[in-house]
Amino acid sequence: MPEDPLRRGFVMRGLYPEYAVGPGDEVELILRDVELVRETVRIRPDGNISFLLVENLQVAGMTVGQLDSALTIAVSRYLREPKIDVQVTEYNSKMVSLLGAIEYNSLIGYKTGQGRYALKNRTYLLDLILEAGGTTSDAQLDQVQLIRGGQAYTFNLQRVLRFGDISHNPVLQGEDIVIVPGASRLTKKVVVLG
């Protein structure tokens, strides 16, 4: 299955995956100096941000640690030994659509069911389904489809659950579409996103 490094939700740093920011993500930047400066900025479509004395810093594809270092270097031209903290507050740059026999629960306080989900790090197919609330009782886990770049791939999540076969549990990337088919007529729906 083809992978696009720009659409992945993570970058490997040593043995660990770290989230890679992109256009649409919102980050909170805190400068701890004589006076605390806190600003929330959205990464623009061109991948740049502006903060304090720094204009148009290219940050798309950076991890939070790399963004922290880049801002510290840029601000250090104007301030001596600046201390900057960076935190992602909204994940919007890498979204995945999930459709089909997905359980909906309105009582738990966060989004479940069919819809669009943000990738916040390395996310596997099964992880996304569990985050969305799991499947309905009639879900056909042996026929889960993943559409990437106009090409459909079929995965058998029963093999993952029974035998630990990770070849049927791919890592998702932005703009993927996941369809979990259901056996009953109730799961045959049309969903309009946007």
Side-chain angles (χ1 to χ4, degrees):
M1 202 164 70
E3 289 188 13
D4 182 354
L6 298 176
R7 292 180 190 234
R8 287 195 328 195
F10 68 98
V11 175
M12 291 302 291
R13 294 285 167 232
L15 298 174
Y16 303 100
E18 288 186 36
Y19 181 73
V21 298
D25 287 339
E26 193 173 274
V27 291
E28 182 179 56
L29 309 172
I30 301 169
L31 173 65
R32 295 178 287 128
D33 201 25
V34 175
E35 191 175 305
L36 189 72
V37 177
R38 180 184 306 253
E39 188 175 339
T40 301
V41 298
R42 186 170 301 276
I43 299 173
R44 297 190 301 264
D46 61 359
N48 292 330
I49 62 168
S50 296
F51 174 67
L52 239 53
L53 305 167
V54 179
E55 285 292 321
N56 299 322
L57 180 65
Q58 179 66 33
V59 300
M62 290 184 178
T63 65
V64 172
Q66 291 171 326
L67 175 53
D68 189 321
S69 297
L71 273 173
T72 301
I73 291 168
V75 173
S76 68
R77 294 182 199 147
Y78 307 100
L79 301 174
R80 188 179 313 187
E81 298 180 21
K83 294 178 181 37
I84 298 176
D85 296 324
V86 177
Q87 180 178 350
V88 180
T89 55
E90 279 187 31
Y91 299 85
N92 297 312
S93 65
K94 297 155 193 84
M95 302 293 284
V96 176
S97 298
L98 179 61
L99 305 169
I102 303 298
E103 195 67 53
Y104 173 75
N105 186 345
S106 62
L107 301 176
I108 58 176
Y110 59 88
K111 179 182 176 178
T112 63
Q114 299 181 68
R116 289 181 52 82
Y117 288 85
L119 297 178
K120 299 177 182 174
N121 208 328
R122 180 170 52 189
T123 305
Y124 291 92
L125 177 59
L126 186 57
D127 296 337
L128 174 71
I129 292 170
L130 293 173
E131 178 186 336
T135 60
T136 59
S137 59
D138 68 332
Q140 296 174 332
L141 292 177
D142 59 336
Q143 298 176 26
V144 176
Q145 284 193 331
L146 187 144
I147 301 170
R148 178 178 290 170
Q151 185 75 26
Y153 303 90
T154 302
F155 294 96
N156 184 345
L157 288 181
Q158 291 290 4
R159 292 190 57 81
V160 177
L161 296 170
R162 288 188 183 151
F163 309 112
D165 184 355
I166 60 171
S167 68
H168 285 271
N169 194 18
V171 175
L172 299 174
Q173 65 183 36
E175 303 309 316
D176 281 351
I177 300 171
V178 176
I179 302 169
V180 180
S184 79
R185 290 186 175 269
L186 296 176
T187 60
K188 310 284 190 240
K189 302 177 189 176
V190 174
V191 178
V192 179
L193 303 171

